[in-house]
């Protein structure tokens, strides 16, 4: 290597070292500092750091301040103030705020419930990709809240959430598919959807799946699988699955039922 | 700042070990629940949302959710269909644990002391506690704990400043059912349980 190259290399290294030593430390990000304070349960400090950001239009900070007010962290609990902060963030297209704003309009703890406005914000959040909003929007159409009952729209929005693995959505779409609500009835497709939700640990889907196996609906009848899923559902709090457990135990015999019960308990839900 | 009675329904579970020796299983339940919640929330590992979520199992075990849920629905319980009852029970539990577990995070600095324990009927015990925050005057809360012959002791109500939170909830739910029906109440509980916390 030529001498000038070695010298210039050393000079560059020295210059970098000087720059590193003399350059002022990067200013702390007040939003991140606020998050650190929040995680340490220093809620007043988090609010102090987030408030100027929210006032300057930072939707993330405005959303988090709303959450502090809803939970009464560092401030007296005040759902109406939470609502106001979420509205600010929602209008700036911050999706979690759109979701919370809609749910607060349904919950009615920051004023009278307003399903029509809730629907408006759920549509925005759902179109912005919120899976939870897609599912809730589907339920709103299903029950006719905020708009006339519309099973096709309910099926479509819950279907979007189901495609992304949302277990309650999978279960609801499975029921609609089984019963031909908002779509053509299809027992085999319903069985597949119930299976997906059941494997995801959703108790009501496990109960429904056990009945599919019990009745041979959409799948070949299989008393052992019916009993397995009934045990899983029962352990998940679905008390009516006890009827399937009793019926299948009577059919299969106690010894086989005990083995399946052990298998169900050993299977993570 | 004075905590609202409602926010204390479960928030009182954040305390230090009781300052008065626990005399019976009811006081033990409250003291243990408080210690466990306090240790969970004051842990340094994991984010706050995870620590709050970790409290949920304790809430489900220490509170008799089925009893509380049925009482809160009052006469409407018998008028509900079997499906509505099942949905309501599921959603009530989700609402309580999701809502109060998150609110508990706001009480990590509070201190609890058990100041009394007395019998209240054949199966119930009232455990009186004081909760203090900094220099503020203590808030008194009475916990009604029920234990059957074969059932473990579990909380069925909390009275704060003389107001039963279970009675207040029942009154609120009755108003909501009159206005929105049982399905409407279930959707309201679902909405309250589904809101997101700070990110």
């Amino acid at each position: 290597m030529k001498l000038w190259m070695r010298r210039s290399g050393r000079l560059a290294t020295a210059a970098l070292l000087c720059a590193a030593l003399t350059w002022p430390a990067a200013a702390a990000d007040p939003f991140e500092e606020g998050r650190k304070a929040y995680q340490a349960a220093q809620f007043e400090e988090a609010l102090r750091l987030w408030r100027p950001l929210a006032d300057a239009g930072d939707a993330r900070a405005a959303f988090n301040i709303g959450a502090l007010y809803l939970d009464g962290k560092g401030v007296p609990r005040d759902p109406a103030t939470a609502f106001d902060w979420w509205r600010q963030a929602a209008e700036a297209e911050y999706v979690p705020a759109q979701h919370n704003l809609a749910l607060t309009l349904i919950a009615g703890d920051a004023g009278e419930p307003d399903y029509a406005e809730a629907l408006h914000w759920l549509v925005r959040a759902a179109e912005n990709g919120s899976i939870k909003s897609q599912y809730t929007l589907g339920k709103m159409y299903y029950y006719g809240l905020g708009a006339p009952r519309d099973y096709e729209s309910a099926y479509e929005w819950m279907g979007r959430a189901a495609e992304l693995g949302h277990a309650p959505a999978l279960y609801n779409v499975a029921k609609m598919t089984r019963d031909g609500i908002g779509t053509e009835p299809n027992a085999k497709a319903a069985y597949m959807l119930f299976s997906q939700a059941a494997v995801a640990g959703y108790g009501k889907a496990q109960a429904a799946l056990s009945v599919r196996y019990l009745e041979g609906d959409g799948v070949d009848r299989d008393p052992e699988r019916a009993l397995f899923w009934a045990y899983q559902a029962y352990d998940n709090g679905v008390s009516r699955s006890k009827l399937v457990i009793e019926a299948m135990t009577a059919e299969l015999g106690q010894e086989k039922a005990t083995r399946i019960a052990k298998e169900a308990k050993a299977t993570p839900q | 700042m004075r905590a609202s009675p409602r926010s204390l329904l479960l928030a009182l579970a954040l305390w230090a070990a009781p300052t008065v020796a626990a005399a019976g299983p009811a006081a033990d339940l409250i003291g243990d629940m408080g210690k466990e919640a306090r240790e969970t929330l004051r842990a340094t590992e994991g984010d706050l949302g995870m620590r709050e979520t970790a409290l949920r199992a304790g809430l489900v075990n220490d509170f008799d959710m089925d009893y509380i849920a049925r009482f809160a629905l009052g006469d409407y319980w018998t008028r509900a269909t079997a499906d509505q009852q099942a949905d309501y029970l599921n959603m009530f539990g989700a609402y309580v644990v999701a809502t109060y577990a998150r609110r508990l995070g706001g009480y990590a600095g509070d201190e609890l002391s058990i100041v009394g324990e007395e019998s209240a009927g054949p199966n119930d015990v009232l455990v009186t506690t004081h909760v203090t925050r900094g220099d503020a005057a203590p808030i008194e809360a009475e916990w009604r704990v029920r234990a059957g012959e074969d059932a473990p002791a579990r909380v069925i109500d909390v009275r704060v400043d003389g107001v039963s939170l279970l009675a207040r909830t029942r009154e609120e739910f009755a108003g909501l059912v009159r206005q929105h029906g049982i399905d409407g109440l279930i959707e309201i509980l679902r909405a309250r349980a589904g809101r997101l916390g700070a990110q």
Side-chain angles (χ1 to χ4, degrees):
Chain A
M1 186 181 289
K2 291 183 178 173
L3 184 62
W4 68 268
M5 285 181 74
R6 286 203 301 269
R7 279 183 179 163
S8 64
R10 284 187 199 128
L11 280 171
T13 306
L16 279 172
L17 273 170
C18 286
L21 291 170
T22 57
W23 197 262
D29 175 350
F31 182 77
E32 286 303 322
E33 292 300 308
R35 285 179 65 171
K36 282 182 195 164
Y38 178 84
Q39 295 302 338
Q42 294 165 1
F43 305 116
E44 289 90 349
E45 177 65 2
L47 179 61
R48 188 188 70 74
L49 288 158
W50 286 335
R51 180 64 196 255
L53 300 178
D55 286 340
D58 186 322
R60 301 167 308 163
F63 172 79
N64 282 354
I65 291 174
L68 292 178
Y69 276 101
L70 183 76
D71 296 335
K73 287 173 171 167
V75 288
R77 184 169 186 274
D78 184 352
T81 301
F83 182 83
D84 290 341
W85 283 109
W86 287 334
R87 181 181 287 283
Q88 176 183 316
E91 283 170 354
E93 297 299 334
Y94 191 61
V95 178
Q98 293 173 336
H99 179 76
N100 276 16
L101 192 65
L103 265 53
T104 304
L105 286 159
I106 297 168
D109 54 0
E112 284 298 303
D114 185 337
Y115 295 140
E117 194 185 350
L119 197 78
H120 163 78
W121 287 108
L122 282 172
V123 168
R124 280 173 74 163
E127 286 177 345
N128 280 328
S130 165
I131 298 171
K132 290 180 177 178
S133 294
Q134 290 166 353
Y135 170 67
T136 308
L137 183 57
K139 297 289 274 189
M140 297 284 279
Y141 281 124
Y142 188 92
Y143 287 115
L145 300 172
R149 197 185 291 265
D150 179 349
Y151 290 135
E152 283 75 18
S153 293
Y155 185 86
E156 182 193 333
W157 281 108
M158 283 198 271
R160 287 203 202 181
E163 279 173 11
L164 296 166
H166 189 271
L170 278 164
Y171 169 70
N172 278 278
V173 170
K175 279 199 306 179
M176 294 175 80
T177 304
R178 177 193 64 193
D179 301 334
I181 296 174
T183 186
E184 290 298 313
N186 184 329
K188 189 170 182 182
Y191 155 75
M192 298 293 286
L193 289 159
F194 280 129
S195 297
Q196 287 181 59
V199 168
Y202 197 63
K204 288 197 283 190
Q206 293 167 339
L209 186 59
S210 77
V211 175
R212 304 276 79 69
Y213 280 119
L214 171 69
E215 297 178 345
D217 185 7
V219 62
D220 290 341
R221 188 172 189 275
D222 186 336
E224 294 193 19
R225 299 313 293 161
L227 185 56
F228 174 87
W229 285 109
Y231 273 124
Q232 291 251 314
Y234 189 73
D235 286 346
N236 262 331
V238 184
S239 54
R240 66 175 181 273
S241 285
K242 195 174 180 186
L243 296 173
V244 178
I245 291 172
E246 288 168 355
M248 291 299 93
T249 300
E251 183 174 329
L252 293 166
Q254 192 59 54
E255 190 180 335
K256 201 172 266 185
T258 303
R259 176 181 58 76
I260 292 168
K262 282 183 187 166
E263 185 189 332
K265 284 205 185 300
T267 304
Q269 301 198 13
Chain B
M1 181 180 75
R2 188 166 179 79
S4 70
R6 167 177 289 235
S7 66
L8 282 165
L9 171 60
L10 303 175
L12 299 177
L14 287 190
W15 318 311
T19 57
V20 172
D28 283 348
L29 171 73
I30 302 299
D32 289 348
M33 190 173 70
K35 271 198 292 190
E36 191 178 332
R38 179 170 167 264
E39 283 166 12
T40 302
L41 279 175
R42 291 187 181 177
T44 51
E45 64 271 13
D47 71 19
L48 182 61
M50 289 169 62
R51 301 201 299 273
E52 290 168 355
T53 300
L55 293 177
R56 295 182 180 195
L59 297 181
V60 170
N61 289 333
D62 296 333
F63 284 72
D64 188 342
M65 289 293 181
D66 271 14
Y67 173 86
I68 294 170
R70 289 178 192 215
F71 186 90
L73 198 54
D75 293 340
Y76 293 109
W77 173 259
T78 53
R79 297 187 216 172
T81 65
D83 279 351
Q84 284 175 324
Q85 288 178 349
D87 278 351
Y88 167 76
L89 286 178
N90 276 338
M91 205 40 65
F92 184 86
Y95 156 67
V96 169
V97 296
T99 309
Y100 288 101
R102 215 159 62 210
R103 281 189 213 166
L104 282 170
Y107 290 82
D110 290 4
E111 298 293 338
L112 168 107
S113 53
I114 293 176
V115 296
E117 182 184 26
E118 61 179 295
S119 175
N123 297 318
D124 293 359
V125 174
L126 280 180
V127 179
T128 306
T129 60
H130 280 172
V131 181
T132 53
R133 173 178 296 179
D135 297 329
I139 298 170
E140 184 174 292
E142 286 179 317
W143 301 72
R144 181 175 285 269
V145 177
R146 178 165 294 174
E149 278 183 18
D150 299 321
R154 288 194 291 180
V155 177
I156 59 166
D157 192 15
V158 188
R159 293 172 73 90
V160 180
D161 293 337
V163 177
S164 158
L165 301 179
L166 186 51
R168 273 173 54 123
T169 303
R170 182 178 170 127
E171 190 181 333
E172 185 199 5
F173 282 12
L176 292 171
V177 172
R178 275 196 299 274
Q179 209 174 348
H180 305 290
I182 292 170
D183 285 335
L185 172 67
I186 293 167
E187 290 311 305
I188 285 168
L189 296 180
R190 190 192 310 280
R192 289 183 184 178
R195 286 181 291 211
L196 308 166
Q199 316 256 306

